[in-house]
Amino acid sequence: EGIPNLNVIYLKDTLLSAKENAIFNLYYKTDQHWNEYGALVGFSKIINEIRKDFPEVSEINFDDYNFDTTYTDGKDLAKIMMLHKSIKELEIRIVPNSKYKYQRIDTVKYDIPEVFPYKKVHQLYYSSVDKQLPNGLVIRDSFTNALANLLPESFGETTVVWDTWCYELHEDILENEKPDFLLTIIIETNIPFIIYKHNSIRKDGFNAIDPKK
């Protein structure tokens, strides 16, 4: 608090409030992540905050989307118990009523750390047809997977970087991309990595979440 131009958007209250009357669960039952419906709820709040500085960004209207549902094998928590075939998970897919107004640009501009396991999605670039919208740089983790089609639809040029769970400022990327805003999406349990970095990056193997390891 009190840091100029820094806005912390804590989504807990938003998600708990939406949960009361939600037509679907907001999170998977067999995984720690939110599903696409929960991501839409959270993103709606994020957009409302961004609109305070960039009113040209459209509000999220749930009537603009349809929701396709299907049952799949259970996810990580079920796999740990080797019950993923017997415990089913409801998968919710967001389908817009109109065609997406952006395209993905297939390029790599920045070095990808050797230790990062998901190299194909380390950095993603999108361009919207509406060049009047603000440009954004998004530092992400796996919670952004469910926002893949929402982020670029709301902004002009969108750069999305998964920086090995370190959530750094990346002054070199900021200087190169010159975004109108920087959005860091982080699961609360990973906040220590902002200071101590992820243990896969640290040469001493220190684990900021569980220092006893």
Side-chain angles (χ1 to χ4, degrees), residues 4-136:
N5 300 317
L6 174 65
N7 183 12
V8 177
I9 308 171
Y10 189 48
L11 297 177
K12 179 180 178 180
D13 291 342
T14 297
L15 293 167
L16 287 177
S17 177
K19 178 182 176 182
E20 297 300 321
N21 299 305
I23 58 176
F24 300 111
N25 289 333
L26 305 183
Y27 281 73
Y28 293 111
K29 290 185 176 181
T30 60
D31 193 279
Q32 67 171 334
H33 295 89
W34 54 17
N35 55 36
E36 289 193 12
Y37 183 75
L40 184 63
V41 171
F43 190 59
S44 177
K45 171 63 175 177
I46 293 172
I47 287 296
N48 287 343
E49 293 298 320
I50 290 176
R51 279 174 46 81
K52 293 177 181 179
D53 293 311
F54 303 99
E56 64 271 29
V57 175
S58 297
E59 292 182 273
I60 297 297
N61 186 344
F62 281 63
D63 291 335
D64 291 338
Y65 300 92
N66 291 313
F67 304 98
D68 286 348
T69 60
T70 184
Y71 280 94
T72 64
D73 289 346
K75 296 185 178 293
D76 286 353
L77 298 178
K79 290 177 181 178
I80 291 173
M81 299 183 291
M82 294 185 290
L83 295 173
H84 54 286
K85 292 295 183 181
S86 56
I87 300 178
K88 297 300 181 181
E89 183 67 77
L90 180 65
E91 194 75 62
I92 303 166
R93 294 298 181 194
I94 296 174
V95 182
N97 295 332
S98 58
K99 291 183 178 180
Y100 288 119
K101 300 176 182 178
Y102 69 86
Q103 63 177 351
R104 178 175 167 181
I105 302 171
D106 189 13
T107 186
V108 175
K109 298 182 182 179
Y110 309 104
D111 293 338
I112 303 174
E114 185 62 32
V115 297
F116 185 70
Y118 314 120
K119 292 179 173 53
K120 290 185 178 180
V121 293
H122 174 265
Q123 50 198 274
L124 303 172
Y125 303 91
Y126 303 93
S127 180
S128 169
V129 297
D130 190 346
K131 303 305 180 185
Q132 302 303 312
L133 294 172
N135 300 329

Side-chain angles (χ1 to χ4, degrees), residues 16 27 47-48 65 84 89 131 145 150-151 157 159 165-166 168 184 192 204-205:
L16 287 177
Y27 281 73
I47 287 296
N48 287 343
Y65 300 92
H84 54 286
E89 183 67 77
K131 303 305 180 185
N145 288 338
L150 295 173
L151 283 166
E157 305 290 327
T159 301
W165 301 277
C166 290
E168 295 183 307
T184 298
D204 58 7

Side-chain angles (χ1 to χ4, degrees), residues 139-142 162-170 184-187 190-191 193-194:
I139 306 300
R140 61 163 291 186
D141 56 24
S142 56
W162 194 341
D163 71 340
T164 321
W165 301 277
C166 290
Y167 311 98
E168 295 183 307
L169 186 58
H170 296 286
T184 298
I185 299 176
I186 177 173
I187 182 174
N190 285 358
I191 288 177
F193 292 147
I194 296 176

